[in-house]
């Protein structure tokens, strides 16, 4: 089994010193380039390789719904995830409905967090040439709302249903493609609008606006404050977002207009992190996370959006209904670096 091999290699690392460290080979899965999910995984890969901790074979453009199942089953070593996915897995619902609650809970219990990030913020956008009227003008439209399955799709569908009262397939035509095909789909002009998690000043935004002027709509205040939306934003992997409209407009640039009924931008964030199997060797996890945390300044300098996606907030989204806890060795690394982690966020095993 892959995890047994990792533990054995880790023992060799401890016994043989620095020369043997690079013999540890790990696999990792992440989303497509252009966002915090990919950047975090790529940075971990670079740091681990540069310092001789491990050789990480990183596969990007993956469907994270499958990726975390691979980690839970011991087929992959590291995967990125929004925390909504382990929550759904633990209950055997949504994309994990076929495995049932018992098997889902067992697999979700194998996952351990090592580092955090914000995957993106959900809001409505379209090319100005589409003449879309905003949230009240989505009925009968074609909307790109994420990959074929997973947390992002569930979030986008729920947001549209709560805000606009519309269901995918019945009231509008949802388009789903994998993340790597998302930006080309948008720039092709096929969808009338899109609701997906975006990071401000991400690389994909520059590509999108290069094909024409854009307009985005903040979530209406009444919808944002509604009981249904507040309850939804409180589920694992989600968090409410409100910030000055002028700040968002400044980040998006002159060719991307942001609209709100007042001077506040509202949306909700999709939050998560990288996870490993609970049985990954403590010494290996500790070295990986210690190196990653020490290089946070370098990570935050790698992209314009990097300082705003909470790479350095290990408690975000933890505890409560989130079934994922930190690997004990990862928690040790964060705490030794001066970061606070509540006991409820740390696994005992």
């Amino acid at each position: 089994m892959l995890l047994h091999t990792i533990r054995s290699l880790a023992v060799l690392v401890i016994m043989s010193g620095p020369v043997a460290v690079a013999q540890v080979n790990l696999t990792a899965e992440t989303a497509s380039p252009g966002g915090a999910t990919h950047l975090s995984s790529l940075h971990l890969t670079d740091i681990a390789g540069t310092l001789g901790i491990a050789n990480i074979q990183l596969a990007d453009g993956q469907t994270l719904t499958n990726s975390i199942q691979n980690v839970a089953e011991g087929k992959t070593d590291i995967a990125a995830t929004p925390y909504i996915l382990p929550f759904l897995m633990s209950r055997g619902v949504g994309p994990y409905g076929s495995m049932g609650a018992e098997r889902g809970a067992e697999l979700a219990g194998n996952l351990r967090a090592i580092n955090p990030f914000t995957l993106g913020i959900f809001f409505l956008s379209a090319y100005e040439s589409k003449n879309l009227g905003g949230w009240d003008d989505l009925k009968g439209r074609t909307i790109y709302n994420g990959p074929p399955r997973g947390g992002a799709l569930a979030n986008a569908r729920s947001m549209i249903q709560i805000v606009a009262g519309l269901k995918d397939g019945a009231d509008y035509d949802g388009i789903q493609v994998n993340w790597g095909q998302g930006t080309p789909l948008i720039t092709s002009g096929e969808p009338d609008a899109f609701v997906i998690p975006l990071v401000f000043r991400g690389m994909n935004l520059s590509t999108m606006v290069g094909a024409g002027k854009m307009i985005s709509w903040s979530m209406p205040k009444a919808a944002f404050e509604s009981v249904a939306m507040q309850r939804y934003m409180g589920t694992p992997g989600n968090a409410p977002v409100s910030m000055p409209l002028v700040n968002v407009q400044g980040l998006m640039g002159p060719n991307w207009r942001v609209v709100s009924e007042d001077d506040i931008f509202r949306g909700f964030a999709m939050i998560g992190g990288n996870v490993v199997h609970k049985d990954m060797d403590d010494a290996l996890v500790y070295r990986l996370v210690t190196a990653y945390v020490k290089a946070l300044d370098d990570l935050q300098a790698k992209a314009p959006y990097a300082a705003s996606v909470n790479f350095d907030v290990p408690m975000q989204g933890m505890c409560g209904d989130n079934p994922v806890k930190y690997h004990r060795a990862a928690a040790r690394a964060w705490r030794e670096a001066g970061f606070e982690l509540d006991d409820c966020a740390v696994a005992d095993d």
Side-chain angles (χ1 to χ4, degrees):
M1 182 178 178
L2 181 60
L3 289 167
H4 176 74
T5 302
I6 293 169
R7 288 194 295 270
S8 298
L9 287 170
V11 172
L12 288 175
V13 168
I14 297 171
M15 294 177 61
S16 305
V19 175
V21 173
Q23 294 179 15
V24 178
N25 296 310
L26 305 177
T27 55
E29 299 183 27
T30 190
S32 299
T37 311
H38 181 271
L39 185 61
S40 172
S41 301
L42 182 63
H43 184 67
L44 179 63
T45 299
D46 290 343
I47 292 297
T50 299
L51 297 180
I53 299 171
N55 299 312
I56 302 177
Q57 181 180 349
L58 179 64
D60 59 27
Q62 303 303 299
T63 300
L64 302 184
T65 308
N66 300 329
S67 297
I68 66 163
Q69 184 171 343
N70 289 338
V71 171
E73 293 176 345
K75 300 174 182 177
T76 299
D77 299 300
I78 306 168
T81 183
Y83 286 141
I84 185 64
L85 290 181
F87 175 73
L88 296 175
M89 176 185 284
S90 70
R91 285 158 171 73
V93 298
Y96 304 105
S98 62
M99 68 175 57
E102 184 176 354
R103 177 60 173 164
E106 177 187 351
L107 289 179
N110 289 337
L111 300 174
R112 296 290 183 267
I114 58 172
N115 67 277
F117 45 75
T118 296
L119 288 83
I121 299 173
F122 285 86
F123 50 97
L124 172 65
S125 301
Y127 283 107
E128 289 200 350
S129 60
K130 293 293 184 178
N131 296 314
L132 190 73
W135 289 101
D136 294 332
D137 190 23
L138 297 183
K139 189 174 180 61
R141 297 282 192 169
T142 299
I143 304 173
Y144 169 44
N145 52 8
R149 59 198 295 257
L153 177 61
N155 277 345
R157 283 173 169 168
S158 296
M159 186 179 199
I160 295 170
Q161 184 170 349
I162 294 172
V163 176
L166 305 177
K167 293 184 177 181
D168 190 350
D171 303 306
Y172 66 91
D173 295 323
I175 302 179
Q176 294 89 43
V177 298
N178 290 327
W179 289 125
Q181 301 170 293
T183 300
L185 173 69
I186 291 170
T187 56
S188 75
E190 180 179 352
D192 296 315
F194 55 96
V195 178
I196 55 175
L198 297 172
V199 292
F200 300 135
R201 296 185 68 188
M203 290 187 300
N204 50 353
L205 300 191
S206 300
T207 303
M208 293 174 195
V209 81
K213 291 187 175 182
M214 282 278 185
I215 181 171
S216 292
W217 289 266
S218 167
M219 192 190 312
K221 182 179 180 181
F224 184 83
E225 295 178 348
S226 69
V227 173
M229 183 58 74
Q230 288 294 315
R231 182 182 298 117
Y232 191 80
M233 292 189 296
T235 58
N238 295 328
V241 172
S242 61
M243 63 184 72
L245 182 65
V246 64
N247 291 359
V248 178
Q249 185 62 74
L251 290 170
M252 302 300 267
N255 293 319
W256 197 307
R257 184 162 58 99
V258 184
V259 176
S260 176
E261 65 206 81
D262 52 19
D263 58 356
I264 300 297
F265 172 87
R266 299 174 181 85
F268 71 81
M270 191 175 192
I271 53 183
N274 284 314
V275 295
V276 299
H277 196 282
K278 68 177 183 180
D279 291 336
M280 182 176 278
D281 179 76
D282 284 12
L284 178 58
V285 173
Y286 177 75
R287 296 195 67 187
L288 284 171
V289 179
T290 296
Y292 180 90
V293 174
K294 285 183 177 179
L296 279 175
D297 287 345
D298 293 336
L299 171 59
Q300 292 175 337
K302 285 186 173 181
Y305 61 83
S308 64
V309 292
N310 299 317
F311 286 135
D312 56 354
V313 187
M315 271 304 296
Q316 73 163 354
M318 303 306 293
C319 302
D321 290 331
N322 184 1
V324 178
K325 297 179 182 292
Y326 275 90
H327 192 289
R328 59 188 177 188
R332 176 187 164 203
W334 281 101
R335 285 169 167 168
E336 288 184 0
F339 293 86
E340 292 187 6
L341 271 177
D342 295 345
D343 289 342
C344 64
V346 182
D348 295 327
D349 55 356

